[in-house]
Amino acid sequence: MIEFIKGVFILSGALFMLLAALGILRLPDLLTRMHATTKAAALGVILIMLAVALHFGEVDVVARALAIIVFILMTAPVAAHVIGRAGYFVGSKLWSGTVKDELRPNYDPLTHELKSGMETEANARREPKESDPS
């Protein structure tokens, strides 16, 4: 039974990694490619590490496999965020089918600063100040 579970984990992990590789080749822009590689490749590595932990069953190997899983879970989202943000800042073209760009009204391309959503909403609700009566 354990052999079957290990086989399922390895095949599933390999398929998710293949899916990530196909996503890099087939998807139209940086942000969608980044999404495919982050999600599918991370899940593929996690499944393969689970198979490794089951196969060897030794405490030190299991601990290393679990450490790798935790490392992937902690670093993949951060790396994807940094890559996506850098791509947006350098002007990477969005796919023509992109429906909504929520950063555009909050991003200043000259200073590369983002305004928070709360800041923008507060500015939209604020009424114009009246000038001092003379």
Side-chain angles (χ1 to χ4, degrees):
M1 183 66 182
I2 296 294
E3 296 295 323
F4 176 74
I5 293 172
K6 289 188 297 190
V8 168
F9 281 165
I10 289 175
L11 286 175
S12 300
L15 286 174
F16 275 109
M17 291 177 138
L18 177 65
L19 185 65
L22 290 174
I24 291 174
L25 295 174
R26 300 285 301 165
L27 292 173
D29 67 347
L30 172 74
L31 298 178
T32 54
R33 288 180 190 146
M34 174 197 62
H35 180 75
T37 56
T38 303
K39 307 299 184 224
L43 184 57
V45 169
I46 288 169
L47 290 171
I48 289 176
M49 285 296 109
L50 288 174
V52 166
L54 282 175
H55 178 73
F56 289 103
E58 298 173 9
V59 174
D60 57 337
V61 175
V62 171
R64 288 180 186 177
L66 292 177
I68 290 170
I69 290 171
V70 169
F71 181 77
I72 294 292
L73 287 173
M74 288 175 28
T75 58
V78 174
H81 175 78
V82 170
I83 291 169
R85 185 175 171 130
Y88 193 86
F89 286 173
V90 298
S92 172
K93 298 289 182 199
L94 295 177
W95 176 46
S96 60
T98 301
V99 178
K100 190 173 190 181
D101 183 3
E102 292 182 359
L103 285 180
R104 183 168 299 198
N106 300 325
Y107 174 62
D108 182 6
L110 297 175
T111 62
H112 296 295
E113 290 181 0
L114 286 174
K115 298 176 189 171
S116 70
M118 309 242 335
E119 223 174 271
T120 307
E121 289 175 17
N123 287 341
R125 280 189 239 140
R126 188 180 305 152
E127 294 182 26
K129 296 180 181 177
E130 296 178 20
S131 58
D132 294 335
S134 312

